[in-house]
Amino acid sequence: MKRICFCDTETFSEVDIGKCGSYRYIEDNSTEVLLLTYAFGDEPVKCADLASGDPWPEEFLAAYDDPDTLLIAHNCSGFEWPLFNRFLHPLPPERYFDTMHLAAQCGLPQSLGGAGEAIGLTEDQAKIKDGYFCMPCKPTKANGQRERNLPEHDPEKWARFKEYAVRDVEAMRTIYHHLERWMPDAAERRFWALDARINAHGVRIDRKLATNAVLMDTKNKEELTAEAVALTGMENPKSVSQIKSWLYDQEGKEFPSLNKKVLADVIPALTSEDAKQFMALRTELSKASTAKYNAMLRSMSPKDDHVRGCFRFYGANRTGRFAGALVQFQNLSKNYDENIDGMRELVKGGHYTAL
């Protein structure tokens, strides 16, 4: 039977993980490991304070290199696995077990805090969030214009931060023992490892195409906005209240709502040509079809132009199907235009008028 090592990390980075994803976050030069918390089996949880000068613990490094030790972490394929691959050295995903996968298979919330609450952990046992030391801070006169909070800036809060990190491992271990009778079978484990490798490999992006698409979309929206202002005289043609007031002047009746469901009934009922033209402009302005390009540029690696971590294993509760993340490749719009290659070249060449 394999030895078990529960582990978790707390990190700092200038990158917004919510917008850019964990892979872009982990590879950034600003990213560093602040704390490593770990426990072997049911032994007490230990905390290595790397930010304060502690070295990586020798016993953890030995376990990391021991093929007979199973490393257990929550969402490890999405965070700890690529993090340790960067800061230590790469291991195959089969060396890990993910308690998030176990929680998802049991129909529980996938977050550590949500899963803990679902099995009845008390507030002092569940995951406690505190990003004070994990992200840049706003420079103020009160904090001496600093852009980051370090342990020495608030020793009491740092001590609590370490306590919270220990509790995270304790919560993870409790979740594991509570659910271990429903462990994923060998086939599910292979699928999980395959998903980890797919996400680590990533999808290559044409940076020039994505960059120019965003620039052209911005220019197009500026032109449409100017056209809408000239047509209506509105200061802000995106303001719902201003649109409703203007439509009342044009149509002589009120439109209580302009959400997507209602618009299907509103537009055919319009009588004035100006109102019809404006709503056509508004429809174009509200399109989010180029939002994926922005997501690509935010989350792609500056080293090799790959976007990683775009799929979520067991993303849908109960069915267990994969789900998308970041760029959402699973809901790309289909395009059957025979001239699509030529359009791409126009975008890459920056030929806005021709496009």
Side-chain angles (χ1 to χ4, degrees), residues 27-85:
E27 75 169 346
D28 194 77
N29 291 333
S30 68
T31 302
E32 60 182 85
V33 183
L34 304 177
L35 301 175
L36 168 70
T37 43
Y38 64 99
F40 294 105
D42 293 325
E43 295 177 9
V45 179
K46 298 179 180 179
C47 179
D49 187 346
L50 306 181
S52 298
D54 287 354
W56 286 81
E58 289 295 333
E59 62 177 351
F60 177 80
L61 294 178
Y64 188 80
D65 288 330
D66 178 11
D68 289 325
T69 297
L70 181 66
L71 303 167
I72 297 181
H74 200 82
N75 187 29
C76 58
S77 65
F79 197 79
E80 265 71 30
W81 178 56
L83 184 78
F84 289 151
N85 282 351

Side-chain angles (χ1 to χ4, degrees), residues 2 13 45 55 58 71 74 91 95 105 109 115 140 210 214 217 222 235 243 251 258 277 307 317 330:
K2 284 184 177 289
S13 181
V45 179
E58 289 295 333
L71 303 167
H74 200 82
L91 290 179
R95 282 287 314 280
Q105 183 169 277
T140 64
V214 170
D217 179 58
E222 289 173 352
E235 291 184 10
I243 294 171
E251 298 290 314
L258 294 176
Q277 185 179 347
V307 175
N317 257 343
Q330 288 168 294

Side-chain angles (χ1 to χ4, degrees), residues 71-182:
L71 303 167
I72 297 181
H74 200 82
N75 187 29
C76 58
S77 65
F79 197 79
E80 265 71 30
W81 178 56
L83 184 78
F84 289 151
N85 282 351
R86 178 197 162 183
F87 285 94
L88 298 177
H89 58 79
L91 290 179
E94 287 83 1
R95 282 287 314 280
Y96 290 81
F97 180 80
D98 195 338
T99 50
M100 189 168 81
H101 178 194
L102 182 57
Q105 183 169 277
C106 293
L108 301 184
Q110 295 190 27
S111 68
L112 185 60
E117 184 180 353
I119 67 167
L121 289 182
T122 60
E123 186 176 343
D124 65 331
Q125 294 173 301
K127 179 179 176 66
I128 301 176
K129 296 180 180 179
D130 191 334
Y132 183 79
F133 298 102
C134 299
M135 59 188 71
C137 62
K138 184 178 179 180
T140 64
K141 189 175 181 180
N143 70 11
Q145 300 298 324
R146 69 172 181 263
E147 298 180 349
R148 178 181 175 185
N149 296 311
L150 297 171
E152 57 264 30
H153 293 138
D154 195 329
E156 289 187 10
K157 186 170 281 190
W158 181 253
R160 289 198 301 272
F161 184 56
K162 292 165 69 173
E163 290 176 10
Y164 298 157
V166 168
R167 290 186 199 175
D168 280 355
V169 174
E170 291 173 342
M172 181 203 315
R173 181 166 59 188
T174 302
I175 291 168
Y176 175 81
H177 287 317
H178 192 85
L179 304 177
E180 63 181 325
R181 76 191 78 174
W182 297 292

Side-chain angles (χ1 to χ4, degrees), residues 9 80 93 95 109 138 148 162 241 253 260 264 272 275 352:
T9 56
E80 265 71 30
R95 282 287 314 280
K138 184 178 179 180
R148 178 181 175 185
K162 292 165 69 173
S241 61
K253 61 180 181 179
K260 286 184 178 181
S272 73
Y352 176 75

